[in-house]
């Protein structure tokens, strides 16, 4: 549940305090063509437009989104299209790729072929590679730091990560490949040392590390100082090494992307909201690590939303995981439960919390129980004659 919420980029301290380097959306990032400042005075390259028309590309769409591509003197429309055709892409796929990522036509065929070789290190065949390019053309045509990309792929393979996981990194977490491979190796060593220092076993370390990376590859963008600072802060708050290891695993490494000041703010707010002791609050956090992750405004909004629905603070304390749900999801689920005659404010919140799949399963159980007959119709009745 928490991972799905994280992916939606809700307002949180990841954005407020330790911002991860994001992939720039401006054209110089591709690093495969010269950047000019006089494009406003330039006219469209007619040869480029004609070649794009030849491949049934929607020129109007390109003009609206990234019209500067059409102003470039040197483009490689036919060459890039030929590379895609060699991989097995059909005309429709090629047109779609060039419409969504027109920057592709200003990348030299040499760099694109190199990129193709690099991505094939983790793809079973060309068909799989084409599908990835169709889904994530912008990721494929980022041709900066190709040597770093190749070395990092090889390093991840040596660690034991599956190719399907590495290919997901390439498409959705490309920033980690811009790190020099030595920096990523250093971060892996720090994570391993932290795991062992927190009481983790050597035998389980590899499994723990690979799972952590699979769930949150952005952890590699952290600094060693940030990791040390966060661990020391949690120890000062009274969490044992075992409990910190639990929090780290449950928060999928996002714990290291929070700063002590923001964690302290959330702890203080939660302690006041739930009117609890330090010990009680620690137990709440272990049940629901999101109490550390969410900012004070988010926590306040979610608690107020639950209170408006008639849910008490005592109920929230009993089932704090409900705070992982947005107010909109809470309202929707309560309406669903009410329609089945289940009054959530009079009972336990277990039926309200959980993932979408878990909630729907609970609904089915409630509905089945509601429709169950009060007696067994095939059992004999004890009637006195």
């Amino acid at each position: 549940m928490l991972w799905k919420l994280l992916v939606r980029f809700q307002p949180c301290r990841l954005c407020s305090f330790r911002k991860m380097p994001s992939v720039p959306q401006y054209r110089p990032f591709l690093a495969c063509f010269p950047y000019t400042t006089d494009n406003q005075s330039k006219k469209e390259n007619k040869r480029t437009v004609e070649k794009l028309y030849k491949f049934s590309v929607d020129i109007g769409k390109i003009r609206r989104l990234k019209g500067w591509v059409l102003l470039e003197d040197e483009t490689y429309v036919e060459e890039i299209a030929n590379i895609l055709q060699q991989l097995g892409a059909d005309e429709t796929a090629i047109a779609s790729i060039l419409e969504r990522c027109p920057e592709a036509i200003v990348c030299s065929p040499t760099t694109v072929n190199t990129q193709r070789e690099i991505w094939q290190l983790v793809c079973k065949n060309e068909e799989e590679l084409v599908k990835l390019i169709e889904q994530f053309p912008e990721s494929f045509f980022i041709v900066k730091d190709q040597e770093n990309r190749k070395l990092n792929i090889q390093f991840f393979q040596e660690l034991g990560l599956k190719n399907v996981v590495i290919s997901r990194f390439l498409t959705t977490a490309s920033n980690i490949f811009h790190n020099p491979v030595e920096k990523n190796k250093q971060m892996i060593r720090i994570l391993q040392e932290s795991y062992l220092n927190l009481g983790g076993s050597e035998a389980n370390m590899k499994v723990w590390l690979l799972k952590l990376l699979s769930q949150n590859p952005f952890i590699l963008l952290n600094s060693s100082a940030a990791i040390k600072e966060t661990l020391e802060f949690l120890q000062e708050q009274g969490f044992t090494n075992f409990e910190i290891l639990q929090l780290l695993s449950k928060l999928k490494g996002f714990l290291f992307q929070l700063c002590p000041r923001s964690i302290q703010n959330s702890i203080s707010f939660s302690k006041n909201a739930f009117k609890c002791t330090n010990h009680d609050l620690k137990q709440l956090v272990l049940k629901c690590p999101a109490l550390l992750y969410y900012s004070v405004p988010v926590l306040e909004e979610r608690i107020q939303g639950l209170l408006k629905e008639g849910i008490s603070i005592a109920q929230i304390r009993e089932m704090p995981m409900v705070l992982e749900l947005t107010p909109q999801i809470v309202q929707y689920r309560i309406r669903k439960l009410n329609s089945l005659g289940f009054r959530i404010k009079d009972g336990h919140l277990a039926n309200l919390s959980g993932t979408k799949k878990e909630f729907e399963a609970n609904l089915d159980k409630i509905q089945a129980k509601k429709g169950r007959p009060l007696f067994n119709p095939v059992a004999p009745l004890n009637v006195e004659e």
Side-chain angles (χ1 to χ4, degrees):
M1 170 64 70
L2 180 59
W3 172 246
K4 292 182 179 179
L5 293 173
L6 298 179
V7 172
R8 291 174 192 161
F9 295 104
Q10 297 183 11
C12 65
R13 283 156 296 165
L14 284 180
C15 303
S16 305
F17 294 94
R18 288 183 182 153
K19 292 190 177 181
M20 295 296 102
S22 58
V23 178
Q25 298 300 314
Y26 49 87
R27 57 185 275 201
F29 184 79
L30 288 171
C32 58
F33 53 89
Y35 181 71
T36 57
T37 58
D38 60 344
N39 279 342
Q40 290 184 341
S41 63
K42 294 175 67 174
K43 294 182 179 179
E44 288 185 356
N45 186 325
K46 291 184 178 180
R47 291 178 66 250
T48 298
V49 173
E50 290 171 0
K51 289 177 180 178
L52 287 170
Y53 271 129
K54 175 184 173 183
F55 290 100
S56 303
V57 175
D58 186 343
I59 304 297
K61 186 174 182 179
I62 293 179
R63 286 191 179 113
R64 289 192 302 273
L65 299 178
K66 296 176 181 177
W68 59 265
V69 170
L70 303 177
L71 307 179
E72 293 298 317
D73 294 327
E74 189 174 12
T75 58
Y76 305 93
V77 179
E78 292 175 333
E79 292 86 345
I80 300 304
N82 286 337
I83 292 173
L84 294 173
Q85 285 175 336
Q86 290 168 13
L87 289 172
D90 58 25
E91 291 182 5
T92 302
I94 292 172
S96 174
I97 291 169
L98 296 183
E99 285 171 5
R100 289 184 294 135
C101 184
E103 303 99 312
I105 66 172
V106 292
C107 294
S108 74
T110 302
T111 58
V112 174
N113 273 319
T114 300
Q115 191 81 324
R116 166 184 174 175
E117 292 170 3
I118 292 171
W119 281 50
Q120 283 180 322
L121 293 173
V122 296
C123 292
K124 287 183 287 188
N125 48 49
E126 292 183 341
E127 181 182 358
E128 183 179 302
L129 176 55
V130 169
K131 287 181 180 178
L132 282 179
I133 298 173
E134 285 185 62
Q135 289 179 292
F136 307 96
E138 290 187 348
S139 296
F140 179 78
F141 287 104
I142 293 175
V143 294
K144 183 181 179 182
D145 296 327
Q146 289 184 317
E147 186 61 23
N148 274 344
R149 195 180 303 269
K150 181 179 178 180
L151 292 174
N152 276 309
I153 287 175
Q154 292 170 345
F155 170 58
F156 292 145
Q157 289 173 331
E158 291 168 3
L159 273 180
L161 284 169
K162 294 181 179 179
N163 284 338
V164 65
V165 175
I166 301 174
S167 67
R168 179 160 53 83
F169 291 175
L170 284 170
T171 55
T172 61
S174 60
N175 281 9
I176 65 174
F177 293 95
H178 301 316
N179 280 345
V181 69
E182 286 306 319
K183 182 180 184 302
N184 283 337
K185 286 182 178 181
Q186 180 188 26
M187 281 305 305
I188 293 297
R189 285 194 295 270
I190 291 171
L191 290 172
Q192 291 171 331
E193 290 170 5
S194 298
Y195 176 77
L196 294 175
N197 291 338
L198 290 171
S201 68
E202 189 85 40
N204 295 330
M205 183 173 66
K206 182 177 179 180
V207 173
W208 174 84
L209 179 65
L210 295 184
K211 184 177 181 181
L212 189 69
L213 287 174
S214 299
Q215 293 172 331
N216 177 23
F218 298 105
I219 197 171
L220 294 173
L221 299 178
N222 290 329
S223 69
S224 57
I227 290 178
K228 183 180 179 182
E229 184 183 24
T230 301
L231 291 178
E232 288 177 351
F233 174 78
L234 291 172
Q235 288 168 339
E236 291 169 2
Q237 299 302 307
F239 289 97
T240 66
N241 286 344
F242 178 74
E243 289 168 343
I244 294 173
L245 200 57
Q246 278 185 300
L247 292 173
L248 178 58
S249 298
K250 288 181 179 179
L251 282 173
K252 303 175 177 64
F254 281 92
L255 186 63
F256 289 144
Q257 292 168 229
L258 306 176
C259 72
R261 181 161 62 104
S262 60
I263 297 176
Q264 181 62 67
N265 289 340
S266 287
I267 287 177
S268 299
F269 172 81
S270 297
K271 185 178 178 180
N272 182 60
F274 294 115
K275 302 292 189 291
C276 59
T277 63
N278 290 337
H279 174 76
D280 292 337
L281 179 62
K282 193 169 78 166
Q283 298 309 308
L284 284 176
V285 169
L286 292 173
K287 279 187 182 179
C288 179
L291 286 172
L292 296 180
Y293 175 81
Y294 291 128
S295 63
V296 170
V298 171
L299 288 173
E300 188 172 19
E301 178 192 28
R302 295 189 179 191
I303 290 174
Q304 289 300 321
L306 291 167
L307 294 177
K308 286 179 183 178
E309 296 297 332
I311 295 169
S312 67
I313 288 291
Q315 285 177 295
I316 302 173
R317 281 188 61 171
E318 188 178 357
M319 182 62 66
M321 291 79 77
V322 75
L323 292 171
E324 294 178 359
L325 305 174
T326 65
Q328 293 76 19
I329 293 176
V330 168
Q331 291 171 5
Y332 168 78
R333 291 188 177 186
I334 287 178
R335 285 199 302 269
K336 281 285 189 179
L337 290 166
N338 286 342
S339 68
L340 296 177
F342 189 93
R343 291 173 59 83
I344 195 72
K345 65 181 180 179
D346 296 334
H348 197 271
L349 300 185
N351 291 315
L352 182 64
S353 62
T355 63
K356 180 181 179 182
K357 186 177 181 180
E358 290 168 342
F359 174 73
E360 290 174 349
N362 283 332
L363 277 185
D364 291 340
K365 289 178 183 177
I366 294 172
Q367 197 161 16
K369 187 176 180 180
K370 183 180 178 183
R372 189 179 301 157
L374 299 177
F375 65 92
N376 188 342
V378 298
L381 296 176
N382 296 321
V383 180
E384 294 182 5
E385 295 182 0

